[in-house]
Amino acid sequence: MLYDLVVAPNVGVEVGLADRWSVALSGTYGWMNGSPWYEHIRVVTGDAELRYWFAAADSPLRGLHAGVYGAVYRYDFLFNDKGQEAKANWGTGLSCGYAVHLDRHFTIDFSLAVGYVGGKYQEYEVSNDGYRHNVWTADKIRHWVGPTKAEISFVWHLFGSSSKVKKGGEL
């Protein structure tokens, strides 16, 4: 839902592997041209996460979860006339979250992650000489350790939850 604020559609799928374990895959594509907004924030991402769920095994994909993830990023951010563009950055880290069941078919999942993001990127300035093009000013390498993900996901369980959920998300 956070990507939706910057008009970068994303989709994901999560599949239970065994008791209390699941794997989640997701991707985002917001690399559009045309309007001034799209020229300022463009992003393409993909990530995979292995999650452990602390709730009872008969309550899949609900409650507290922790995991490890890996991701790749491509982005182009422009603020005023200065920008950064990365062809391929990568990240890895640990995540923690909580899934709140709304009913049999819908859940809201809140997740935070900390980890490492690294890779090469270029800084540029926009030339306003009548042709509007980018002028590369520096090649840099990113080494970031800290918060790397914040997610609020609206989850649709295609086949419903295997546990009976009462009003308010209680079992």
Side-chain angles (χ1 to χ4, degrees), residues 10-137:
N10 66 327
V11 67
V13 63
E14 185 167 2
V15 177
L17 298 176
D19 284 349
R20 300 182 182 186
W21 289 94
S22 69
V23 64
L25 305 170
S26 66
T28 301
Y29 184 83
W31 203 274
M32 299 169 240
N33 291 316
S35 84
W37 176 253
Y38 295 136
E39 292 178 6
H40 293 82
I41 298 176
R42 301 190 299 180
V43 63
V44 177
T45 69
D47 68 75
E49 182 175 352
L50 179 65
R51 290 180 174 172
Y52 177 80
W53 294 83
F54 293 96
D58 63 346
S59 301
L61 307 179
R62 69 174 299 123
L64 185 65
H65 59 83
V68 59
Y69 77 93
V72 293
Y73 315 97
R74 179 178 181 191
Y75 63 85
D76 184 355
F77 299 131
L78 176 64
F79 299 102
N80 297 323
D81 284 336
K82 297 191 182 289
Q84 288 186 8
E85 181 178 345
K87 303 285 186 203
N89 278 197
W90 61 275
T92 187
L94 302 172
S95 68
C96 185
Y98 193 83
V100 178
H101 275 254
L102 302 176
D103 65 16
R104 266 188 89 227
H105 296 281
F106 299 103
T107 302
I108 295 182
D109 186 66
F110 302 89
S111 296
L112 291 173
V114 294
Y116 173 82
V117 174
K120 296 179 182 179
Y121 69 98
Q122 293 81 33
E123 291 183 343
Y124 65 89
E125 294 180 1
V126 176
S127 171
N128 292 317
D129 61 0
Y131 296 103
R132 186 159 170 78
H133 61 276
N134 297 339
V135 177
W136 302 110
T137 58

